[in-house]
Amino acid sequence: MILAAPVIFSPVERLEGTVTKIEGSASWVDAGEKRLRCDLRGKLSRRLNLRLAVGDRVRLATVTDEQGVIEEILPRRTVLERARSYKRDQVVVANVDQVILVVSVLEPEYKRNFIDRLLAAVEAERLEPLLVFNKLDLSDERYRLVCAEDAKIYRQLRYSVIGTSVESGEGIQDLRAAMKDKISAVTGPSGVGKSSLLNAVVPGLGLRTGEVSESSGRGRHTTTHAELVRLPEGGYVADTPGLRAFEMKGVEPRDLPLLYRDIAAFQGTCRFRDCSHRDEPGCSVIPAVQEGKIDEERYESYLKLRQELEAESATQKASRKR
Ligand code: GDP
Ligand code: ZN
């Protein structure tokens, strides 16, 4: 005897997941192996200041196997905002675990000073940086040694550093491993190979490469929300490289020493509590530089950046007085 097929009412399931994409009032949530299109429950969406961001962890109730309703947004661990020059601070990606800072060894050649600046900016956001030196294929043996020396300085500061080449495939596997099970965002100067690296890490992603539009800060990156792309080995990466040109705006000059790990290590050891580590008597940072305990180039980039921040904050104060 053949039994009539039972009518299936899919029971409501309560799941936890990660928001990967937002379009208008709809969002896509990965919950385990399920991928659901969700709406926000009425009273949640009406709460005006509540905005969903990709990367948000949410609790949802299923409606069907492919649809759900978000009932709760869980507290964010970290927040990555669009550069402050945009309309207003807007969360673009929530819960980012690491910011991948990409530079290239040549074409364009990285500057240590610039790396220090990016690292400080990421530290200011309380995010974890991962430093990538791309285009290794362009360097000869001698120049490779120079890059390796630089990489060593950052590793000694407990930063993760990976050398890669999209051209030869070198280091791509290491990069994949470093991205596994994390939410990553990618940033760095134009033309260093950010899109190419993402394409290498995520097969089939198909980001356009070799475009210069990014230098204006606008161009193709005008969408409100980044999308999180699922990595084959687990984890996500925001699909908009150059997501944020980390600016140092809002960083007080006196806080800068805390954003340099090597200098922060001496916090509280100078005679003056607010020591700028420039020329104060009883400074413990200056002798540390002289004795080689702090890398001299790092110290110089600190001085330069500090001066810039001070000049900036002076202009701001002056314009407020007017
Ligand atoms: P983005 O602006 O940082 O996203 O850089 P793109 O990914 O668009 O790459 C800029 C240019 O560098 C393109 O012409 C790429 O083909 C090239 N490129 C990217 N990675 C490498 C690499 O590892 N080696 C070499 N030789 N060229 C690369
Ligand atoms: Zn000092």
Side-chain angles (χ1 to χ4, degrees):
M1 194 176 75
I2 298 169
L3 291 170
V7 180
I8 298 172
F9 293 101
S10 39
V12 174
E13 255 186 290
R14 293 230 143 59
L15 304 171
E16 217 178 281
T18 303
V19 177
T20 60
K21 181 178 158 185
I22 298 170
E23 254 176 39
S25 66
S27 57
W28 279 258
V29 178
D30 278 4
E33 286 313 300
K34 286 200 172 90
R35 185 166 167 77
L36 301 113
R37 186 184 186 283
C38 293
D39 286 310
L40 275 182
R41 176 131 286 167
K43 69 174 172 0
L44 265 186
S45 64
R46 278 194 296 275
R47 233 185 275 160
L48 279 176
N49 58 358
L50 192 140
R51 287 184 140 220
L52 198 61
V54 297
D56 266 327
R57 293 287 296 172
V58 296
R59 291 216 174 94
L60 62 87
T62 58
V63 176
T64 68
D65 232 22
E66 289 162 355
Q67 273 184 43
V69 177
I70 294 173
E71 297 186 318
E72 191 185 347
I73 303 175
L74 302 177
R76 292 173 178 155
R77 281 179 290 116
T78 63
V79 156
L80 186 64
E81 285 158 357
R82 212 180 261 286
R84 282 165 233 269
S85 49
Y86 285 83
K87 272 177 291 184
R88 62 191 165 110
D89 289 0
Q90 184 183 28
V91 175
V92 177
V93 189
N95 300 322
V96 165
D97 295 298
Q98 69 186 354
V99 177
I100 304 178
L101 301 177
V102 185
V103 296
S104 49
V105 295
L106 288 168
E107 298 179 25
E109 183 180 341
Y110 68 88
K111 299 273 184 302
R112 285 270 313 270
N113 176 47
F114 183 77
I115 293 177
D116 292 341
R117 202 173 266 261
L118 279 179
L119 287 172
V122 174
E123 296 274 359
E125 300 288 332
R126 295 172 202 284
L127 292 167
E128 184 65 31
L130 165 67
L131 186 55
V132 172
F133 290 84
N134 189 35
K135 306 201 188 183
L136 276 183
D137 58 284
L138 297 180
S139 65
D140 59 18
E141 278 310 311
R142 258 181 56 202
Y143 187 56
R144 256 177 192 265
L145 290 178
V146 175
C147 300
E149 277 303 306
D150 285 343
K152 199 168 126 194
I153 285 165
Y154 294 108
R155 287 204 184 96
Q156 278 167 349
L157 296 171
R158 288 170 288 106
Y159 289 117
S160 303
V161 185
I162 298 177
T164 59
S165 163
V166 176
E167 202 64 28
S168 73
E170 177 177 0
I172 301 297
Q173 206 44 48
D174 295 333
L175 181 58
R176 282 214 183 99
M179 294 170 78
K180 187 176 180 307
D181 296 334
K182 291 181 180 150
I183 297 182
S184 304
V186 182
T187 193
S190 186
V192 295
K194 297 182 296 297
S195 309
S196 309
L197 278 169
L198 285 186
N199 285 341
V201 168
V202 189
L205 182 60
L207 290 179
R208 278 183 290 170
T209 62
E211 289 178 15
V212 248
S213 64
E214 225 186 325
S215 56
S216 70
R218 283 180 193 86
R220 62 194 155 133
H221 301 310
T222 47
T223 49
T224 329
H225 293 282
E227 189 175 330
L228 289 188
V229 178
R230 198 171 181 157
L231 303 171
E233 286 98 344
Y236 295 91
V237 63
D239 72 338
T240 39
L243 183 70
R244 173 170 179 167
F246 284 89
E247 292 171 10
M248 295 292 283
K249 278 181 189 147
V251 172
E252 291 289 335
R254 64 164 185 276
D255 291 333
L256 190 62
L258 297 174
L259 307 181
Y260 272 69
R261 289 185 177 178
D262 28 11
I263 295 174
F266 289 86
Q267 201 210 352
T269 61
C270 300
R271 185 181 305 163
F272 303 110
R273 215 157 55 103
D274 61 348
C275 185
S276 72
H277 316 306
R278 255 180 303 217
D279 46 19
E280 288 93 335
C283 175
S284 59
V285 168
I286 298 165
V289 175
Q290 285 159 352
E291 291 159 22
K293 287 181 193 149
I294 293 176
D295 178 76
E296 206 171 335
E297 223 177 314
R298 287 272 299 169
Y299 178 64
E300 270 157 25
S301 84
Y302 161 78
L303 292 180
K304 192 156 174 254
L305 188 49
R306 171 124 196 174
Q307 203 168 25
E308 282 177 34
L309 290 179
E310 280 169 1
E312 222 170 75
S313 99
T315 5
Q316 272 170 15
K317 275 187 192 131
S319 69
R320 252 182 262 137
K321 271 190 194 138
R322 255 183 256 128

